[in-house]
Structures are given as C-alpha cells and as structure tokens.
Amino acid sequence: MGKKKKQFAIIGLGRFGGSICKELYEMGHEVLAIDMNEDKVNAYAPYSTQTIHANAAEENVLKALGIRNFEYVIVAIGADIQTSILTTLFLKEMNIKNVWVKAQNHYHHKVLEKVGADRIIHPEKDMGVRVAQRLADEKILDYIELSEDYSVVELRATRKLHDKTILELDVRAKYGCTILAVNKEGKVEVAPNPETRIEENNCFVVLGRKRDIQRFEDEGISAAF
Ligand code: ATP
C-alpha cells in the first residue's frame, strides 16, 4: 500500500461501525475495534488489528485502552444516545483530534456539536439523499453533498460532450464548476489536463455549487437529447 498507515479506533460494531472497521482494515490501516457485546468482538476479530471487549462509556476504561494515542476515533454507537454523547465527551476531553460520531437525529447532532465532535454522520439520511439524486437523474452516477451549497457529482458524458476537450467545455468560466477527474473505461485521470478529450459515456466528476452543476447539466449536457 502506497499510502501512510493510519491508526483508527472504532467504538461500536453494529452495521455502520462494523463496515468501517472491515473497510479500513482491508485498506491496510491499523484498526482497534471495541464493543461491549462479546459476539460482535469475536465476529470482527478477523477484520481488525485488535479487538477489545469493553464498555466505552466509562472514562477509566477509555484511558486504560490507551485510546488517546489514536489519530481517529469513530463512535458508532447508535441507539443509546446518552452513551454516544458521554463517550464523545470523554474522547474530546482526552484531546483526541479527530472524533467522528454517528448521530441518530437532529437533537443528538446538536449535543454532539456542543461536546466537540469533529464530524457528525447521519448514514441513513446521507445515503437517502445520494440514492434520491441517482434515482431522479439518470446522468448522475454518484452524489456527495459537501455543504448546503456545494456538492460533488459524478456524471456520464452524453453525445453532446463527445470529442470535446476540457478547455473547449470551459465549465469553470461558463458554469463556475470544476472537473476534478475523468474516468475513461476504468483509467482515472485526476485533475485532468485541459487538453484531455472527453468521449461519450466517459464518467467525470464535477465540483461546484448545486445550482451551477444543475445549470451545467441542463444547458451543457442535456440539450443534446
Ligand atoms: P447499526 O445501525 O450501525 O447496526 P445501531 O444504530 O443499531 O447500529 P447499536 O446497535 O445501538 O447501533 O450499537 C452499535 C454497537 O455499539 C452495538 O454492537 C453495541 O453493542 C455497541 N455499544 C453500545 N454501547 C456501547 C458501549 N457503551 N461500549 C461499547 N460498545 C457499545
């Protein structure tokens, strides 16, 4: 693996925490997996560097685990909101730089913000938005919301874009969007050269304000049909 190995601790091995654990471990990172349910701990032993059977909502337990040495800690405790908040509070008091937490609802989110969570994730809501975007627009292959205003969208090139260079498309001047990458049958060019020629059915990734991307889609791509 070319990339630097990072150290992650994951608290809670439900479907969300478990998927993160497995994915990071398969990417070659060091993963400490913690859960108070022994069956979960055993199930994830093959997919983590180390598993620990413990109750993470106790400050002295977290300290004894040496969790302060981890660069990233993910709190993936869902249903028990109080435990999730308390654990996050302890982790931030230990000065852990990156504490990412799964939130159940709006109120949970607000409290997590107050106790200093660095990233708050709503997996069902976020995935719902992505699925809706893909359902509503067949040209959209993937969609990531960066903020209320900005998003990153993966699009498929229509005939209208065929044989045009990035320079000719000039999406930055015309629509204020940036083409981040072009995928030509699996060969990905990141930060593509202005001379890169797009062909029909190539995939490309665009970053911009939502309304500008929509304008690019409506005027720049779809008019050809
Ligand atoms: P998912 O949707 O990701 O499957 P969920 O939102 O239903 O999960 P829970 O099942 O409530 O979330 O919790 C996820 C995991 O966190 C469970 O395996 C549970 O045992 C573990 N967990 C809950 N509280 C603690 C705790 N205090 N310490 C360690 N692990 C905990």
Side-chain angles (χ1 to χ4, degrees):
M1 194 186 65
K3 280 193 199 146
K4 193 175 156 260
K5 236 184 183 188
K6 289 186 184 169
Q7 291 184 315
F8 298 91
I10 298 170
I11 301 172
L13 299 169
R15 283 164 304 172
F16 180 67
S19 310
I20 297 175
C21 171
K22 203 167 165 213
E23 193 68 23
L24 288 172
Y25 183 67
E26 282 171 1
M27 287 162 88
H29 295 292
E30 253 177 61
V31 186
L32 170 68
I34 304 161
D35 202 295
M36 64 196 281
N37 176 330
E38 201 168 0
D39 292 340
K40 291 279 171 67
V41 169
N42 293 335
Y44 280 92
Y47 307 110
S48 55
T49 318
Q50 194 188 354
T51 46
I52 293 181
H53 176 212
N55 181 356
E58 289 176 18
E59 196 174 8
N60 54 344
V61 170
L62 287 175
K63 283 189 173 150
L65 293 177
I67 210 150
R68 66 169 79 238
N69 300 321
F70 283 79
E71 234 180 305
Y72 288 87
V73 180
I74 296 105
V75 181
I77 298 168
D80 188 346
I81 292 179
Q82 192 175 327
T83 300
S84 151
I85 292 166
L86 210 55
T87 308
T88 307
L89 177 70
F90 292 147
L91 293 168
K92 285 315 290 180
E93 277 182 349
M94 288 179 194
N95 290 323
I96 292 168
K97 271 210 197 103
N98 301 292
V99 179
W100 291 30
V101 191
K102 172 184 166 172
Q104 283 296 90
N105 55 47
H106 175 65
Y107 299 108
H108 189 188
H109 184 119
K110 281 194 121 175
V111 182
L112 289 172
E113 255 177 358
K114 292 263 183 254
V115 298
D118 298 284
R119 180 76 72 97
I120 303 165
I121 308 149
H122 297 258
E124 292 87 355
K125 184 171 157 254
D126 297 348
M127 200 60 205
V129 170
R130 285 171 79 164
V131 170
Q133 292 288 342
R134 292 175 71 164
L135 282 171
D137 187 339
E138 284 178 6
K139 289 186 301 306
I140 293 187
L141 303 172
D142 205 356
Y143 176 91
I144 301 168
E145 189 172 67
L146 295 180
S147 70
E148 247 177 56
D149 292 332
Y150 286 89
S151 63
V152 174
V153 177
E154 187 180 11
L155 298 162
R156 191 183 296 283
T158 58
R159 200 172 321 149
K160 188 171 184 183
L161 303 190
H162 183 68
D163 210 26
K164 294 244 170 33
T165 64
I166 300 224
L167 191 67
E168 283 166 346
L169 292 175
D170 205 13
V171 286
R172 194 168 300 172
K174 285 187 189 151
Y175 305 101
C177 302
T178 306
I179 296 182
L180 298 178
V182 178
N183 184 345
K184 295 181 168 225
E185 287 156 16
K187 222 176 129 232
V188 181
E189 193 183 338
V190 180
N193 193 297
E195 301 308 323
T196 296
R197 215 166 267 284
I198 291 187
E199 289 157 37
E200 187 179 356
N201 286 328
N202 283 168
C203 301
F204 60 103
V205 181
V206 182
L207 162 71
R209 281 183 189 275
K210 290 175 187 173
R211 59 163 192 266
D212 292 335
I213 295 181
Q214 189 63 56
R215 215 159 42 84
F216 170 49
E217 273 191 62
D218 294 343
E219 297 168 16
I221 304 182
S222 302
F225 290 119

